[in-house]
Amino acid sequence: MPLSSTDAARVLRFCLVADDAGTVEERDDGSCVVTIVTSRPTYQVHTFEELTFDAALRSAAGRGVLRAACVEKQIAFTTRCDPLADATAARRASSAPPPAAAAAPAGSGAPPATFLALTDNIGSLLHETQRERGISTLFVGSGGQLAGDELAEQWKRSDQRRAALFDGVAREMPSLPSSVGRRYQHAGSLLGAVDGTRDAVMGGRIEAPRVIEVYSALNAALLAAVEAMMVAGVPGPARNHALACVVLQHAKEKAGIERAQLAMAFLRDRFTQGERLSVASLIAAQATYLHIFAATAPEAGEAALRLALASPAAAEVQRMESVVFLDGESGFGIDPSLWFRAITRKIDLLGEVSNATLASLAARE
């Protein structure tokens, strides 16, 4: 009995080495796809497409991306098969000539225009929903004393980006991979929760942690659509640059959550140990995503990132972060509005890095 997608995901999780990541997907035509992002010696995306997940995992092992012994052991355990029979099948598969490599597309490895356009449109909406999350948190956390004048204007900007994204995807929907369409539709369903959250924010009927939760769920769904497009719509030779686009959006999202969480801490002038661990995790995740970006981005994007991280705004954010990681859970003396402005400027600079990266890749099409 071939592995199901759930079983294949379990096998993959056991066989990945530290810092690597992977996904499994069953496409509409019945093909089974295993995608693995390796971190050493450099970040690379590997895709293995076969008739079954067993075969796809074994292809990954045959190419040295996964450990063959681990794959065989986990498949045998999961399916309760005879390990000797599985090993024999693996040896037969490895003795067959490898499939011919797909021809690299013309140009210099740039992702397709559809991927770049979708990433640009979703990234633009994310930028506004991230800012809306921060402003809403500041407003709720201050009891309506801060950022009230900015909310209505921010809603307009978010709605404009939302309309632009929906119009663009509506035109492209028939040609989008089904995995992308499903995730995009899920994100659309979460936009209703955001509309309700706006009313609750203005009516004082919601707490700041719930505001962060609602917007973060929407943003995660939008990011999932971009990831699905990278896996299903970008050919192998272009995936490193596509990966750079995706991880940069993840870095921005982690920074956006940090903006909201530390705004709450500075408003209360209190930062518990649990909150400290949460923010430390967000900062570490940003560093990891940006490291991957630097390793996979085109030269223009990498240069833009260096400038952003060397900016006065980034230095000011780092100074404020260091204050909350000193001993003690209160007495920080940081104005939440100043924090919000500083990290917003840093996030805006990361947005400019994204624009430079997408423009550079579009020019290669």
Side-chain angles (χ1 to χ4, degrees):
M1 179 75 67
L3 293 175
S4 67
S5 59
T6 301
D7 289 337
R10 187 179 299 115
V11 171
L12 179 60
R13 185 168 63 250
F14 273 105
C15 295
L16 289 170
V17 300
D19 299 327
D20 288 357
T23 61
V24 302
E25 178 190 7
E26 185 172 0
R27 292 183 175 165
D28 290 343
D29 61 2
S31 61
C32 298
V33 181
V34 173
T35 302
I36 300 170
V37 180
T38 55
S39 58
R40 291 183 296 271
T42 60
Y43 289 90
Q44 293 184 332
V45 180
H46 308 267
T47 299
F48 305 93
E49 181 175 346
E50 302 288 351
L51 294 178
T52 65
F53 284 116
D54 310 51
L57 289 165
R58 286 179 172 128
S59 291
R63 299 290 181 88
V65 180
L66 295 176
R67 291 169 294 173
C70 180
V71 169
E72 294 305 326
K73 179 179 178 181
Q74 290 303 322
I75 289 178
F77 176 80
T78 301
T79 60
R80 304 299 194 273
C81 292
D82 179 1
L84 181 59
D86 278 346
T88 301
R91 284 196 298 272
R92 288 173 179 169
S94 64
S95 65
S108 50
T114 303
F115 170 83
L116 296 177
L118 185 68
T119 302
D120 188 21
N121 284 328
I122 286 183
S124 295
L125 176 57
L126 278 169
H127 193 77
E128 300 304 337
T129 55
Q130 288 161 355
R131 184 177 174 85
E132 185 172 327
R133 173 180 53 201
I135 294 174
S136 300
T137 302
L138 204 57
F139 180 79
V140 170
S142 66
Q145 299 300 307
L146 296 176
D149 294 340
E150 298 179 53
L151 267 179
E153 189 60 34
Q154 180 57 51
W155 290 345
K156 291 179 183 177
R157 288 199 296 269
S158 297
D159 288 345
Q160 287 170 354
R161 291 299 184 184
R162 174 177 169 177
L165 174 62
F166 271 72
D167 290 346
V169 172
R171 289 192 298 270
E172 297 290 343
M173 185 65 79
S175 62
L176 289 177
S178 60
S179 58
V180 180
R182 289 195 306 271
R183 286 162 176 81
Y184 175 74
Q185 289 171 351
H186 175 58
S189 70
L190 294 177
L191 283 167
V194 168
D195 291 337
T197 299
R198 288 177 175 178
D199 293 337
V201 166
M202 294 306 295
R205 302 187 307 275
I206 191 170
E207 298 293 328
R210 177 57 182 162
V211 172
I212 296 174
E213 181 182 348
V214 169
Y215 283 96
S216 298
L218 167 63
N219 292 351
L222 290 168
L223 285 167
V226 179
E227 290 173 341
M229 189 65 187
M230 178 185 73
V231 172
V234 179
R239 282 202 182 140
N240 273 357
H241 285 156
L243 178 64
C245 299
V246 172
V247 297
L248 184 58
Q249 294 300 331
H250 276 285
K252 285 183 74 257
E253 174 61 6
K254 296 300 184 184
I257 299 174
E258 181 196 359
R259 170 171 55 189
Q261 290 192 354
L262 280 184
M264 283 197 306
F266 294 143
L267 280 165
R268 298 173 308 179
D269 197 26
R270 188 175 70 256
F271 198 48
T272 67
Q273 183 61 22
E275 292 167 338
R276 181 178 281 109
L277 290 173
S278 176
V279 171
S281 176
L282 291 168
I283 294 171
Q286 290 171 59
T288 298
Y289 283 128
L290 292 177
H291 177 75
I292 299 173
F293 174 81
T296 55
E299 185 177 350
E302 186 181 0
L305 178 64
R306 285 198 300 269
L307 290 175
L309 296 182
S311 67
E316 181 64 3
V317 166
Q318 188 173 23
R319 183 192 70 79
M320 293 182 180
E321 289 170 341
S322 67
V323 171
V324 300
F325 287 100
L326 299 175
D327 292 336
E329 296 185 352
S330 61
F332 305 120
I334 293 179
D335 184 331
S337 296
L338 294 179
W339 157 255
F340 191 88
R341 284 198 292 272
I343 193 167
T344 295
R345 178 55 184 153
K346 177 184 175 181
I347 294 172
D348 288 346
L349 289 173
L350 292 178
E352 293 175 13
V353 175
S354 178
N355 293 339
T357 302
L358 290 171
S360 173
L361 294 175
R364 301 183 182 193
E365 273 287 310

